[in-house]
Amino acid sequence: MAYITKKKIAKSFHDVVLAKGFSRTSVTAIMDAAHFRRQTFYDYFQDKYELLTWFIDDTLAETVEHNLNYLPWPDIIKLVCYELDANRRFYAECINTQHEVDVTALVGHHLVVLLTELTQTDEPEMAALIWLLCLGIAQSLTHNIIANHPEDYEVLSQDAIAAIKMTLAILN
């Protein structure tokens, strides 16, 4: 039940941020939209920044980690790019308005999970390479969200897939 409550709060958070902007989004507004008491928010989250982190982590876990055993990895990359593009206004508002939560690092972390699964290695040098590659891809994706003339997400996903394929080929 706790997860469902968190999801409802997160959905309301998403909607309120789109309607009012991140800086004008209050706990009261989120909980009014969710039809919960204000205090319920604090049963799950410390503040809206922790909620933002949870929202991104939960969304990307559903996109990446929950699909590891079901989809080929290029399709997961495409899904990540699609998710970020489909919710561009929300992510752009969160990236442009606040600096407490590093959205790029959160995206990068979930890409690391995917690449670590692909490489099946725990070598420190490999972990550093994977982190830097994933951080670069994540930076490309999050920068595109706030760009004045963004690339199509399908182009970005193809670039990310090509970079990962080249890296995997070098490593093998």
Side-chain angles (χ1 to χ4, degrees):
M1 192 64 149
Y3 181 73
I4 293 170
T5 302
K6 286 175 118 176
K7 287 292 276 188
K8 288 179 181 179
I9 292 169
K11 170 70 170 109
S12 295
F13 170 66
H14 177 270
D15 295 346
V16 173
V17 167
L18 287 177
K20 294 184 172 192
F22 186 86
S23 61
R24 292 192 191 127
T25 295
S26 66
V27 171
T28 301
I30 295 166
M31 298 312 282
D32 285 349
H35 306 292
F36 289 127
R37 294 178 316 110
R38 186 177 193 278
Q39 185 55 42
T40 302
F41 180 92
Y42 297 105
D43 292 339
Y44 299 99
F45 305 104
Q46 182 177 351
D47 54 28
K48 67 182 180 180
Y49 301 101
E50 186 177 336
L51 172 54
L52 174 59
T53 300
W54 187 87
F55 179 91
I56 294 169
D57 275 339
D58 182 65
T59 300
L60 292 177
E62 286 180 5
T63 306
V64 177
E65 287 91 323
H66 294 177
N67 285 310
L68 285 175
N69 296 321
Y70 303 105
L71 294 175
W73 70 264
D75 290 348
I76 296 173
I77 295 292
K78 290 174 188 175
L79 280 175
V80 169
C81 294
Y82 175 78
E83 163 58 32
L84 295 173
D85 187 66
N87 289 293
R88 173 185 301 277
R89 279 186 46 235
F90 172 78
Y91 289 115
E93 177 63 24
C94 294
I95 291 169
N96 286 328
T97 307
Q98 62 80 41
H99 303 287
E100 287 80 357
V101 176
D102 186 345
V103 176
T104 300
L106 291 172
V107 173
H109 167 75
H110 291 278
L111 295 175
V112 165
V113 171
L114 173 62
L115 262 68
T116 301
E117 180 72 21
L118 282 176
T119 60
Q120 294 289 313
T121 184
D122 57 358
E123 298 174 28
E125 295 85 10
M126 182 69 78
L129 175 65
I130 288 171
W131 171 245
L132 290 173
L133 174 63
C134 291
L135 192 58
I137 292 170
Q139 174 60 33
S140 173
L141 297 176
T142 56
H143 174 75
N144 194 61
I145 289 170
I146 59 174
N148 289 332
H149 303 288
E151 292 279 338
D152 184 83
Y153 82 91
E154 291 178 358
V155 172
L156 289 176
S157 67
Q158 290 306 316
D159 289 347
I161 291 166
I164 293 168
K165 282 182 179 177
M166 285 191 302
T167 303
L168 293 174
I170 291 168
L171 295 174
N172 291 331

